């Protein structure tokens, strides 16, 4: 049954997972929503992307009888039998075989091809829900006053709304208006080579065919300031690997380039020969520079009519495996806040959204650094005594979180704080996080 209309006009810039989630959730809550996207057409680009249980919980609420989650499940890696095998970089020894999390159909975990999963969500928003998605519409400018906000398209057309959500990624133009200055990226000191390819050559090689003949697999090799993750998916038909390594190249606003297999070989000198055997079969790869950004002091514009969401507000390190999921949590939260505040109180809703989300996002961001450092500075004597110490962390405070339920529960308390009606500086929302988890940190994309 359709939700009652709220009369709140929402314009979203960007049709990535964060923007699409915000649109779908705003539609579910009865808001009048539309999306403007720079790309002229949908393309199934990219490689592996991960969604934790906290995203799966959102997907299961879309469509009839968990329709969208079921579609995604059929396209994603199934590690129920294989798990995650973590190797020592030089010997190739499996130092820990991490079992997969128990299957939960109400909060599934998804790992699959970014472009293929995106297409499912995009089509659900546009075709099934009828959300207007305007492709090929470059946004030149954002504007706002006390009563409304809007965007100026390249054509000169102005689009007005009660709230504009800037889900326009790491190069966000909305961020410039919110901050009042251009936030330039800096080198983080790391980069990632990424690749996705068919198993055709892998299955011919006795050294690598085991990864493609036994269903889906997931293996990681951990070394000094380097980690190499390799997956096979779709029953072993497709292969995907990512390798994070030190990289001091200075970059500006473009940080994704064609990569060279020869450069990867240099980093893998002295490693388990299986790693090189995998890489040498890669037809092409991307060299993705991880750029450093200071956490933003705010995601909300001066008049609280423009809100940053997802990577525009808080880019994540890949080792968090939570970037897209946290963008989805953002989309869920702002939709709830707008619904509960109502059209006359949109600005309060936007401020409450930030209050609800800010500390949690900062805490989850920090896990990307801690996981990377744990792997890149591994104490192998410790691992020998406690193999679980090298496992990829799956913390309940992240994965068992229900963004919609949480926003519903804490909204009134948070609203009282942001409107100055509550003198208690500790809100119900912030009390859910330990102080050390909310420590400010720098992040990368």
């Amino acid at each position: 049954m359709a939700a009652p209309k709220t009369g709140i006009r929402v314009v979203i810039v960007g049709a990535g997972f964060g923007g699409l989630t915000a649109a779908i959730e705003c539609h579910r809550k009865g808001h009048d929503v539309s999306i403007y996207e720079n790309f002229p057409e949908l393309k199934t680009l990219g490689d592996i992307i991960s969604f934790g249980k906290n995203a799966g919980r959102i997907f299961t609420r879309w469509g009839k009888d968990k329709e969208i989650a079921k579609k995604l499940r059929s396209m994603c890696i199934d590690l129920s039998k294989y798990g995650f095998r973590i190797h020592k970089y030089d010997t190739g020894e499996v130092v820990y075989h991490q079992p997969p999390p128990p299957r939960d159909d109400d909060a599934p975990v998804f790992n699959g091809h970014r472009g293929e999963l995106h297409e499912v969500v995009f089509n659900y928003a546009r075709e099934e829900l009828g959300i207007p998605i305007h492709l090929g519409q470059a946004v030149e400018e954002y504007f706002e006053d006390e009563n409304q906000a809007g965007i100026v398209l390249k054509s000169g057309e102005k689009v007005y709304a009660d709230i504009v959500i800037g889900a326009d990624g790491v190069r966000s133009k909305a961020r410039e208006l919110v901050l009042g200055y251009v936030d330039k990226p800096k080198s983080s000191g790391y980069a990632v080579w990424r690749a996705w390819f068919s198993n055709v050559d892998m299955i011919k090689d006795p050294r690598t065919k085991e990864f493609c003949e036994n269903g889906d697999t997931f293996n990681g090799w951990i070394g000094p300031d380097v980690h190499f993750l390799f997956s096979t998916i779709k029953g072993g038909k497709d292969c995907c690997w990512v390798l994070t390594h030190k990289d001091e190249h200075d970059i500006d606003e473009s940080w994704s380039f064609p990569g060279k297999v020869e450069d990867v070989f240099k980093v893998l000198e002295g490693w388990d020969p299986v790693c090189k055997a995998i890489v040498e079969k890669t037809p092409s790869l991307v060299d993705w520079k991880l750029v450093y950004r200071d956490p933003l002091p705010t995601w909300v514009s001066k008049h609280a009519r423009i809100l940053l969401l997802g990577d525009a507000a808080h880019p994540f390190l890949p080792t968090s495996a939570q970037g897209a999921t946290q963008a989805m949590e953002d989309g869920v939260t702002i939709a709830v806040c707008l619904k509960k505040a109502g059209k006359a109180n949109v600005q309060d809703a936007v401020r409450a959204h930030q209050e609800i989300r800010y500390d949690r996002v900062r805490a989850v961001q920090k896990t990307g650094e801690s996981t990377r450092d744990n792997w890149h500075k591994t104490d192998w004597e410790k691992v020998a005594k406690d193999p679980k110490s090298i496992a990829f962390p799956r913390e309940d405070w992240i994965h068992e979180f229900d963004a919609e339920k949480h926003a519903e529960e804490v909204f009134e308390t948070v609203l009282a704080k942001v409107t100055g009606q509550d003198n208690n500086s500790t809100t119900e929302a912030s009390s859910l996080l330990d102080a050390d988890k909310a420590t400010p940190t720098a992040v990368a994309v």
Side-chain angles (χ1 to χ4, degrees):
M1 188 173 69
K5 294 296 184 181
T6 64
I8 299 173
R9 299 168 301 157
V10 182
V11 163
I12 298 170
V13 180
F17 284 103
L20 288 172
T21 301
I24 292 167
E25 290 295 318
C26 282
H27 178 87
R28 288 182 68 222
K29 294 294 185 284
H31 313 320
D32 180 10
V33 61
S34 58
I35 299 176
Y36 291 80
E37 167 59 54
N38 183 43
F39 282 108
E41 60 181 330
L42 180 67
K43 294 182 179 179
T44 54
L45 302 174
D47 46 63
I48 197 81
I49 190 170
S50 298
F51 293 97
K53 290 181 66 176
N54 42 329
R57 195 170 282 108
I58 297 168
F59 284 127
T60 58
R61 292 169 179 154
W62 297 351
K64 295 179 181 178
D65 191 28
K66 303 177 183 177
E67 167 196 359
I68 300 305
K70 289 177 180 177
K71 284 184 180 179
L72 298 179
R73 166 67 69 191
S74 69
M75 305 165 75
C76 284
I77 192 168
D78 179 4
L79 298 175
S80 56
K81 296 179 181 178
Y82 195 89
F84 178 32
R85 301 178 186 182
I86 303 178
H87 306 249
K88 192 169 186 287
Y89 72 101
D90 49 359
T91 64
E93 171 195 2
V94 176
V95 294
Y96 184 56
H97 187 179
Q98 185 172 358
R103 178 161 173 160
D104 182 349
D105 288 337
D106 291 325
V109 173
F110 297 122
N111 295 278
H113 189 284
R114 178 186 300 267
E116 293 175 357
L117 303 190
H118 180 263
E119 185 176 24
V120 171
V121 178
F122 182 94
N123 288 339
Y124 173 64
R126 186 171 67 172
E127 305 302 332
E128 292 193 41
L129 299 183
I131 295 172
I133 302 178
H134 307 278
L135 299 176
Q137 297 294 330
V139 175
E140 295 291 304
E141 184 182 341
Y142 291 77
F143 62 88
E144 66 165 0
D145 57 29
E146 274 294 317
N147 301 310
Q148 62 183 354
I151 54 175
V152 180
L153 304 177
K154 192 172 184 179
S155 64
E157 178 188 354
K158 290 186 176 182
V159 181
Y160 296 88
D162 295 301
I163 170 179
V164 173
I165 297 175
D168 49 348
V170 292
R171 308 185 203 189
S172 170
K173 286 192 174 182
R175 188 169 53 231
E176 295 178 25
L177 182 143
V178 168
L179 296 179
Y181 56 86
V182 177
D183 179 40
K184 289 280 188 179
K186 301 165 245 186
S187 173
S188 69
Y190 287 90
V192 180
W193 286 304
R194 313 179 65 106
W196 184 289
F197 53 99
S198 164
N199 73 354
V200 173
D201 293 325
M202 291 280 295
I203 208 162
K204 295 176 184 176
D205 188 336
R207 298 171 299 171
T208 57
K209 68 177 184 178
E210 67 171 287
F211 300 114
C212 304
E213 290 182 333
N214 301 293
D216 296 346
T217 66
F218 185 25
N219 288 267
W221 286 259
I222 309 301
D225 250 336
V226 177
H227 67 270
F228 176 65
L229 303 178
F230 172 68
S231 304
T232 55
I233 194 170
K234 299 178 183 176
K237 293 180 180 178
D238 285 357
C239 305
C240 171
W241 61 261
V242 296
L243 190 153
T244 299
H245 61 101
K246 294 289 287 183
D247 186 297
E248 300 296 344
H249 285 92
D250 193 23
I251 50 92
D252 189 18
E253 286 296 334
S254 178
W255 49 82
S256 183
F257 310 90
K260 298 179 181 178
V261 170
E262 295 79 10
D263 292 338
V264 184
F265 289 161
K266 291 177 185 176
V267 171
L268 292 177
E269 287 179 5
W271 280 52
D272 179 2
V274 171
C275 297
K276 184 176 180 180
I278 293 168
V279 172
E280 68 187 13
K281 296 168 181 60
T282 306
S284 63
L285 62 145
V286 171
D287 183 3
W288 183 36
K289 308 300 184 185
L290 298 177
V291 299
Y292 172 99
R293 289 187 189 274
D294 295 318
L296 303 187
T298 182
W299 309 336
V300 176
S301 60
K302 178 181 176 182
H303 296 292
R305 294 279 181 179
I306 297 176
L307 173 69
L308 302 179
L309 181 147
D311 282 348
H314 45 72
F316 275 69
L317 283 170
T319 37
S320 73
Q322 276 283 312
T325 298
Q326 290 303 308
M328 291 182 67
E329 286 190 5
D330 284 353
V332 169
T333 303
I334 185 57
V336 170
C337 290
L338 290 170
K339 172 77 170 182
K340 294 185 76 70
K343 184 175 175 68
N345 301 298
V346 166
Q347 292 157 296
D348 291 338
V350 172
R351 296 184 180 107
H353 165 89
Q354 175 170 278
E355 186 71 18
I356 292 170
R357 294 290 299 148
Y358 197 84
D359 282 351
R360 173 172 169 78
V361 167
R362 291 277 281 269
V364 179
Q365 279 178 320
K366 199 164 181 61
T367 65
E369 291 183 34
S370 58
T371 299
R372 182 196 63 198
D373 292 345
N374 183 46
W375 280 355
H376 286 201
K377 299 175 176 61
T378 300
D379 181 341
W380 291 107
E381 291 184 4
K382 178 182 178 183
V383 172
K385 296 175 183 176
D386 180 17
K388 288 184 179 180
S389 66
I390 203 170
F392 186 84
R394 299 188 186 109
E395 300 182 73
D396 284 351
W397 67 271
I398 297 176
H399 291 273
E400 298 304 323
F401 187 79
D402 185 331
E404 183 173 24
K405 180 182 177 183
H406 178 73
E408 295 275 1
E409 290 176 345
V410 305
F411 178 79
E412 296 300 337
T413 304
V414 173
L415 180 66
K417 180 181 179 181
V418 300
T419 57
Q421 298 174 27
D422 185 357
N423 293 324
N424 185 352
S425 61
T426 304
T427 70
E428 181 182 350
S430 62
S431 69
L432 295 177
L433 293 176
D434 295 331
D436 61 334
K437 286 181 180 175
T439 302
T441 182
V443 298
V445 294

